[in-house]
Amino acid sequence: MQRFYHSGKNAVEYEEGGGCMEDMVKELPTRQDIPAELKWRLEDMYASDAEWEQDFTRLKDAAEQMAALHGTLISAQGLLEVLRLRDAMGELNEKIFVYARMRRDEDNNGSKYQALSDRAASLSVQAASSMAFIVPEILLISPADLDRFFGEEPALQLYRHALEEITRVRPHILGTSEEMLLAQSEEVGEAAQNIFNMLNNADLRFPRIKDEQGQEVELTKGRYSLLMESDNRQVRHDAFKALYSSYQEHNNTLAATLNAAVKKDIFFARARKYGSALEASLDSDNVPIAVYDNLIATVKANLEPMYQYIRLRQKALGVDELHMYDLYAPLIKDAKFVVTYPEALVHVERGLAPLGSDYAQVLRQAFNSGWIDVMENKGKTSGAYSWGAFGSHPYVLLNWQDNVNNVFTLAHEMGHALHSYHSDQTQPYTYAGYRIFVAEVASTVNESLLMQHMLHETKDPKQRLYLLNYYLEQFRGTVYRQTMFAEFEKVIHAKVEAGEGLTTELLNGIYHALNKTYYGPDIIVDEEVDYEWSRIPHFYNNFYVYKYATGFSAATALSQQILQQGEPAVARYLDFLRSGGSDYPINLLAKAGVNMMSPQPIEAALKVFAGLVQEMEGLLEEKG
């Protein structure tokens, strides 16, 4: 029932921020230790838990009211009444669910909001079950009668696109009793993801390692990326080994949870008469499988620039063998950026100035009005995301560390947040939620604009090299790496659909082979990376990560249009942000100026990557 809203930064390296070395010797603060000005203000959604309870009761009552309307979709007025009640319930459900989950995300160790979250999930299933009759009954309305309804009740015009969408998927909608059963199965289907999340965010513990000064530091997921960016290769090696040793200890459990998640995907796909889980997932966005396959084929046909980048990285680091733990070490060791959170706010505001004064005004409001939860604390959900509910401003979760990566994470999540804001301000609830396929476009446009701004403003050649290195890593992590993830998902789903089970050995073997293909012959694919699949939460949201790569490609084109064309491109782009889900994603992007049915945006993005590799290689040679 939730509209799409929740989105985090790229699946591994961009979901986990680094930190200041001197801070790592300290224990993580508790939630109570975080200053109020660095916390999001969930009171804007519910002033108290008591208000949440009131809406909880209202939704339960509305579900009973909805259940009583079974069989009434035989007139224009009856259809309109049910659709309006469905929207009202959706708004309530979204607000109840999002608030409870975000409260839990503040500290996963607390039982109070775990319980609240569980209650919200159960009520969501109950509400969905009460509405299970709607689509099957709509499908019983003949096209002629539906046309007559539109004429008899002008208010139904609001729902024309939504009703056409139901008609489009007619072959995959079941009868009322079957739809009710599937709705009731959703909660059970979420078990694998919930178990993974609790293990990954609350129960998993990592060893201590020694930092560059020889001091013991507590390894956390939030600190891992900074350790992997250390100039000291031994620190990188030790952090890499320590992190994956913890996942290796739970590898059989994590293989079982992923296997269960894949089986869930296949169960729902087959129940709805799709040929595969991939087809079912892409159909929700009305995206042909050819788009997914084209992404993988196009990237794999352009692996040589990645291999060239790997050779450049080995040469720049001056190592005899390049290992997986060398992939994140900055190639420009004496030009590191330490960026505080207040400094990052300035960078992001200036970088996004090409989007105009109205966009900037909302951005400043977000920075100053309790939209963002900034700091890492004990028990807090890792990574970064944007989320929210219709009728309330969006929210952003961060786990801030003082590095450039986190500046771009901030820009990324504000892209999601302002996409949601503009959509919610313009569209009715029915169309305010944008589809997953376009979800990463706005976030990545922000990153692209910020990068162009910082490259333009940077006069120091060393800092330019640093930013080029960072930009190359964006391409590697968002296009090449996410496409590798996408191929991994396709392979493992196909294995289970063919009757195989996902054992640890099988998963490790598939993942190892893909790393060798995508990174090429000039890097040592260490055994530890075979376990990396077990820590990627996006694999529990099936066939999501490919949208990072397609979104990055579309965003590269749109950001160039904004910078080169100015106001006309900005106007098209802001119209895209305001469009929500009022049209199919492919059509929305086409109106904004990008044709994703063609391989051209992906090929163009990879050409940019190849050019950046050549530029950096030349600058490094000049630097000597």
Side-chain angles (χ1 to χ4, degrees):
M1 262 177 63
Q2 282 71 45
R3 300 174 302 133
F4 174 77
Y5 232 110
H6 187 295
S7 183
K9 197 87 160 58
N10 298 355
V12 174
E13 57 266 49
Y14 300 131
E15 77 164 357
E16 296 161 354
C20 294
M21 280 291 185
E22 59 268 23
D23 290 340
M24 288 198 208
V25 296
K26 303 174 183 177
E27 296 291 332
L28 284 175
T30 65
R31 184 69 184 173
Q32 291 71 30
D33 295 330
I34 304 296
E37 62 271 19
L38 297 178
K39 296 178 182 178
W40 53 26
R41 198 164 60 217
L42 297 185
E43 290 79 7
D44 294 348
M45 190 179 298
Y46 283 112
S48 66
D49 291 349
E51 287 191 5
W52 183 90
E53 293 287 356
Q54 291 173 2
D55 271 0
F56 189 92
T57 300
R58 288 176 59 201
L59 182 57
K60 287 185 68 175
D61 293 343
E64 294 179 3
Q65 180 184 350
M66 177 64 82
L69 295 176
H70 190 297
T72 63
L73 274 66
I74 55 176
S75 67
Q77 187 57 43
L79 177 59
L80 180 63
E81 181 183 359
V82 165
L83 292 176
R84 283 176 168 172
L85 180 58
R86 183 191 68 171
D87 282 357
M89 289 177 63
E91 284 190 53
L92 268 179
N93 184 59
E94 183 173 291
K95 191 177 177 184
I96 290 166
F97 187 87
V98 169
Y99 175 83
R101 282 291 175 92
M102 290 198 298
R103 281 296 190 198
R104 189 192 72 179
D105 286 347
E106 293 176 344
D107 184 356
N108 285 274
N109 293 319
S111 60
K112 176 181 179 181
Y113 290 112
Q114 285 184 29
L116 214 67
S117 178
D118 290 343
R119 289 176 59 204
S122 295
L123 182 59
S124 180
V125 171
Q126 180 183 340
S129 297
S130 76
M131 295 186 286
F133 72 90
I134 296 176
V135 172
E137 288 195 16
I138 288 173
L139 291 176
L140 292 175
I141 303 171
S142 70
D145 284 343
L146 193 57
D147 285 342
R148 178 170 55 83
F149 288 176
F150 284 126
E152 293 175 354
E153 181 53 77
L156 274 176
Q157 291 294 336
L158 169 67
Y159 296 99
R160 181 175 287 274
H161 176 67
L163 291 168
E164 288 175 352
E165 171 67 359
I166 292 171
T167 303
R168 182 183 69 81
V169 297
R170 183 186 297 270
H172 308 291
I173 303 300
L174 309 180
T176 300
S177 59
E178 291 89 349
E179 288 291 338
M180 291 183 65
L181 185 61
L182 286 183
Q184 293 167 359
S185 301
E186 289 285 352
E187 188 173 15
V188 178
E190 292 178 357
Q193 183 177 18
N194 290 335
I195 293 167
F196 169 81
N197 286 337
M198 294 309 296
L199 177 61
N200 195 41
N201 292 316
D203 295 339
L204 204 63
R205 294 291 181 267
F206 302 100
R208 290 177 173 268
I209 68 167
K210 291 185 178 179
D211 66 11
E212 293 175 347
Q213 289 73 44
Q215 295 179 315
E216 280 200 349
V217 296
E218 177 188 2
L219 181 66
T220 68
K221 289 182 294 179
R223 291 167 176 169
Y224 175 70
S225 68
L226 183 67
L227 291 165
M228 294 302 289
E229 294 174 3
S230 172
D231 292 338
N232 188 316
R233 200 179 192 205
Q234 188 64 48
V235 171
R236 300 197 303 268
H237 171 275
D238 292 349
F240 181 79
K241 296 278 188 181
L243 184 88
Y244 286 110
S245 68
S246 297
Y247 284 95
Q248 185 177 359
E249 289 176 359
H250 299 279
N251 207 222
N252 290 321
T253 298
L254 291 166
T257 59
L258 185 57
N259 189 45
V262 171
K263 286 185 175 181
K264 179 261 297 184
D265 299 336
I266 295 168
F267 166 77
F268 283 104
R270 288 176 175 170
R272 295 199 175 280
K273 304 174 185 177
Y274 284 100
S276 67
L278 176 61
E279 180 188 353
S281 178
L282 269 59
D283 193 50
S284 65
D285 293 325
N286 197 20
V287 171
I289 290 179
V291 173
Y292 195 97
D293 291 341
N294 174 67
L295 169 67
I296 295 173
T298 304
V299 170
K300 292 180 80 170
N302 289 273
L303 288 173
E304 184 52 41
M306 171 56 65
Y307 298 168
Q308 183 181 356
Y309 177 54
I310 292 297
R311 291 190 293 269
L312 171 62
R313 175 166 281 278
Q314 179 182 357
K315 181 179 178 181
L317 291 176
V319 294
D320 294 333
E321 292 181 338
L322 193 75
H323 284 258
M324 300 303 289
Y325 51 81
D326 296 318
L327 282 174
Y328 305 100
L331 303 185
I332 312 304
K333 296 186 175 67
D334 51 356
K336 270 192 176 178
F337 289 163
V338 174
V339 187
T340 66
Y341 180 67
E343 291 169 340
L345 299 180
V346 175
H347 281 301
V348 171
E349 185 174 346
R350 291 177 178 173
L352 302 185
L355 294 176
S357 58
D358 290 344
Y359 192 96
Q361 181 179 355
V362 180
L363 190 68
R364 286 192 293 271
Q365 178 185 347
F367 290 164
N368 298 315
S369 303
W371 290 26
I372 307 173
D373 202 77
V374 182
M375 305 306 297
E376 186 179 13
N377 59 253
K378 288 181 179 178
K380 183 177 176 180
T381 292
S382 64
Y385 67 64
S386 172
W387 211 8
F390 189 82
S392 176
H393 62 74
Y395 290 88
V396 167
L397 179 141
L398 302 174
N399 282 274
W400 182 264
Q401 307 292 339
D402 292 340
N403 60 21
V404 169
N405 179 53
N406 276 247
V407 183
F408 283 92
T409 295
L410 174 63
H412 181 105
E413 299 307 338
M414 295 315 301
H416 287 306
L418 268 68
H419 190 178
S420 299
Y421 174 87
H422 282 93
S423 178
D424 285 1
Q425 290 293 309
T426 308
Q427 298 294 328
Y429 176 79
T430 304
Y431 301 121
Y434 45 83
R435 297 299 187 98
I436 294 176
F437 189 80
V438 298
E440 296 303 329
V441 173
S443 56
T444 312
V445 163
N446 278 15
E447 290 194 75
S448 298
L449 292 174
L450 177 60
M451 176 57 73
Q452 293 301 321
H453 166 75
M454 295 184 75
L455 285 171
H456 181 265
E457 293 294 313
T458 300
K459 307 302 181 185
D460 187 336
K462 294 177 182 178
Q463 291 187 346
R464 182 173 184 82
L465 278 167
Y466 184 91
L467 287 171
L468 285 172
N469 177 33
Y470 183 88
Y471 203 12
L472 284 166
E473 282 298 293
Q474 292 277 298
F475 273 93
R476 182 184 71 80
T478 313
V479 181
Y480 286 101
R481 183 172 171 77
Q482 304 304 321
T483 303
M484 182 184 78
F485 287 170
E487 186 170 1
F488 176 76
E489 285 192 274
K490 184 179 179 182
V491 170
I492 64 174
H493 280 78
K495 292 284 188 184
V496 177
E497 284 169 339
E500 295 187 50
L502 298 181
T503 64
T504 296
E505 293 76 15
L506 179 64
L507 290 165
N508 289 357
I510 294 169
Y511 201 79
H512 184 90
L514 286 172
N515 272 274
K516 289 183 72 68
T517 297
Y518 279 81
Y519 287 112
D522 299 306
I523 187 170
I524 305 299
V525 179
D526 300 278
E527 179 185 352
E528 285 78 10
V529 86
D530 296 357
Y531 300 96
E532 186 177 48
W533 59 265
S534 66
R535 75 182 186 100
I536 298 173
H538 289 60
F539 287 159
Y540 292 82
N541 188 359
N542 63 314
F543 302 110
Y544 177 90
V545 294
Y546 91 100
K547 301 174 185 70
Y548 285 116
T550 54
F552 191 96
S553 301
T556 299
L558 289 171
S559 62
Q560 291 301 308
Q561 292 174 18
I562 289 165
L563 293 172
Q564 294 168 9
Q565 300 174 17
E567 179 55 33
V570 171
R572 290 196 306 270
Y573 179 68
L574 293 180
D575 282 344
F576 163 75
L577 296 185
R578 297 185 187 107
S579 296
S582 60
D583 201 348
Y584 297 118
I586 294 289
N587 296 341
L588 293 175
L589 287 173
K591 293 173 186 176
V594 179
N595 178 16
M596 292 309 297
M597 295 297 291
S598 162
Q600 191 276 333
I602 301 163
E603 291 173 343
L606 297 177
K607 286 179 182 177
V608 172
F609 176 81
L612 291 169
V613 173
Q614 292 176 359
E615 179 182 357
M616 188 164 191
E617 192 168 31
L619 289 174
L620 285 171
E621 288 176 357
E622 290 178 12
K623 183 173 179 286

